[in-house]
Amino acid sequence: MTLKCGIIGLPNVGKSTIFNALTALQAESQNFPFCTIEPNMGLVEVPDPRMKQISLIVKTKKEIPTFMEFVDIAGLVKGASQGEGLGNKFLGHIRSTDALVHIVRCFESTEITHVEGSVNPLRDIDIIQTELILADHETVTRNVDRFRKMSRGGDKKCLSILSVVEGLAQHLQDLHPARTFPIPKDRDDYEDLQAAVRELHLLTSKKVLYVCNVDEESLAEPEKNPHLQQVIDLAKKEGTHAFPLCGKIEEELSQVSPEEKAELLEAYGLTAPALDTLIREAYNILGLRTFFTAGEKEVRAWTIHAGDPANEAAGTIHTDFKRGFICAEVYTLPDLIVAQTKAKLKEKGLLRIEGKDYIVQDGDIMEFRFNV
């Protein structure tokens, strides 16, 4: 399972610089708007220290991490929803992603131009969100007309969907994102209504993570950067996350050897690249979780959705595992650390046998029994 996370923002906020650091693909990064036109894409390893811990105990020959895909999308500007700055094309690139990482410039510089002439992160966020909302409003309005035609015969399902879509159109017209539109959960047809809205593939229905591109000084004293604090406060109100990183430092860290990286991290007073946090946060907002399989040949991380049962997890390895699922042997890293071997796990009663309806927990180590 590989889901796409789109990197968005105004031109010249550091999107391509951060993408370069994430993927080491060296996407072009220059000081002028629309440097990126076609989206750059790259698979990025999801950092997980648990894999190394498991590997050291089971003495495996290979470690295979899980990955997610990042897409560097060109900067949007005012009027993008009406086609300004190649807006229609860029909005289409956003539509193909599953979640969004919104890069916000939170540093002052006379050397790097700002498309709006000044640094104001809340204004910048509002510009992007407004353009996405306007594009969504156009999409929903077209579908209101479609459902009106479909419901002329009195079809109850179409009439029900029409009422919700009309409410959504008004919600967007009031400049609220689709993800905050409430569909009453007590309705008998809630799932049908939710599916109908989901099928509209709205831009503002996607979850958003704010990444604040700051200067080196702000990493040491983030509380002294008012731009950063404004975005953090906004993220809290929206029920999401915002955190700082310095794109310039992250790109530098991505280009050196592991030994040099350790020295640079120490010099900058960092314990790990901030990009590790970005990847994990993006993974989480997509609702993804990790389970492991472990043996002498390899330790491997597998991606599932939060709430997936054991038979669905088995299916990520091979469809035969799901089709012929019998049970799963499950244990955890803390228990493995205590027991050290699978035999000891059994002796201590730390190895559980779970059925197909067991909800897999993040970090579970699993072995599946199946028969086809």
Side-chain angles (χ1 to χ4, degrees), residues 44-338:
V44 177
E45 179 181 325
V46 178
D48 196 326
R50 296 174 298 187
M51 175 173 284
K52 177 59 68 177
Q53 292 177 280
I54 296 169
S55 180
L56 289 172
I57 295 172
V58 302
K59 298 178 175 59
T60 191
K61 295 177 182 177
K62 187 191 301 184
E63 297 172 18
I64 304 177
T66 190
F67 293 84
M68 63 183 300
E69 186 171 11
F70 281 87
V71 184
D72 178 24
I73 298 167
L76 296 171
V77 294
K78 283 182 181 177
S81 58
Q82 281 77 50
E84 290 293 327
L86 300 178
N88 290 333
K89 188 173 186 178
F90 299 163
L91 290 169
H93 296 156
I94 295 172
R95 204 176 301 280
S96 69
T97 64
D98 302 289
L100 301 174
V101 172
H102 190 157
I103 309 295
V104 187
R105 178 170 165 177
C106 293
F107 66 90
E108 303 282 352
S109 173
T110 56
E111 297 178 0
I112 302 176
T113 59
H114 192 292
V115 70
E116 290 294 317
S118 62
V119 177
N120 184 332
L122 296 187
R123 176 205 60 207
D124 295 353
I125 290 170
D126 186 64
I127 288 172
I128 297 292
Q129 178 156 284
T130 298
E131 293 304 324
L132 299 185
I133 288 172
L134 291 174
D136 279 349
H137 184 261
E138 183 179 343
T139 298
V140 173
T141 300
R142 286 198 308 269
N143 280 276
V144 166
D145 294 338
R146 180 169 67 91
F147 280 111
R148 279 177 181 161
K149 291 176 183 176
M150 292 170 62
S151 61
R152 283 173 184 166
D155 183 284
K156 289 185 178 180
K157 181 176 179 180
C158 284
L159 286 168
S160 182
I161 293 173
L162 173 61
S163 67
V164 168
V165 175
E166 286 177 331
L168 177 57
Q170 184 60 54
H171 184 80
L172 292 164
Q173 188 170 318
D174 294 337
L175 296 181
H176 301 304
R179 60 182 166 271
T180 64
F181 178 68
I183 301 175
K185 291 185 177 181
D186 58 352
R187 291 183 58 156
D188 293 338
D189 57 353
Y190 172 75
E191 291 185 3
D192 289 337
L193 298 176
Q194 194 177 42
V197 171
R198 188 165 54 245
E199 287 169 6
L200 298 175
H201 302 291
L202 299 178
L203 303 171
T204 60
S205 66
K206 302 176 191 298
K207 293 187 177 180
V208 178
L209 171 68
Y210 294 113
V211 175
C212 304
N213 193 6
V214 301
D215 52 25
E216 185 181 332
E217 291 74 18
S218 295
L219 288 179
E221 298 180 298
E223 68 281 355
K224 292 186 178 181
N225 185 326
H227 299 316
L228 169 61
Q229 296 306 316
Q230 287 176 343
V231 181
I232 290 174
D233 290 343
L234 175 66
K236 286 179 181 177
K237 289 178 184 176
E238 294 184 355
T240 186
H241 294 99
F243 65 93
L245 62 71
C246 177
K248 186 177 179 181
I249 290 176
E250 295 299 319
E251 189 171 37
E252 184 180 0
L253 288 168
S254 72
Q255 296 173 348
V256 298
S257 67
E259 294 77 16
E260 292 172 310
K261 181 184 288 188
E263 292 175 4
L264 280 173
L265 285 170
E266 185 177 357
Y268 287 125
L270 302 171
T271 56
L275 289 179
D276 287 3
T277 302
L278 190 162
I279 297 166
R280 285 195 296 267
E281 289 284 355
Y283 193 75
N284 287 332
I285 67 167
L286 284 166
L288 303 179
R289 301 293 183 266
T290 301
F291 75 91
F292 300 94
T293 52
E296 291 182 3
K297 288 185 177 180
E298 66 179 36
V299 169
R300 183 163 183 164
W302 302 88
T303 299
I304 56 171
H305 287 104
D308 276 355
N311 63 335
E312 289 290 341
T316 63
I317 299 175
H318 197 285
T319 54
D320 283 351
F321 282 33
K322 179 180 178 180
R323 185 159 56 92
F325 183 92
I326 298 173
C327 66
E329 295 182 348
V330 185
Y331 55 100
T332 66
L333 176 57
D335 288 341
L336 180 61
I337 291 171
V338 170

Side-chain angles (χ1 to χ4, degrees), residues 30-42:
Q30 298 292 338
N31 181 25
F32 57 86
F34 310 121
C35 173
T36 302
I37 296 178
E38 291 303 321
N40 298 296
M41 303 182 186

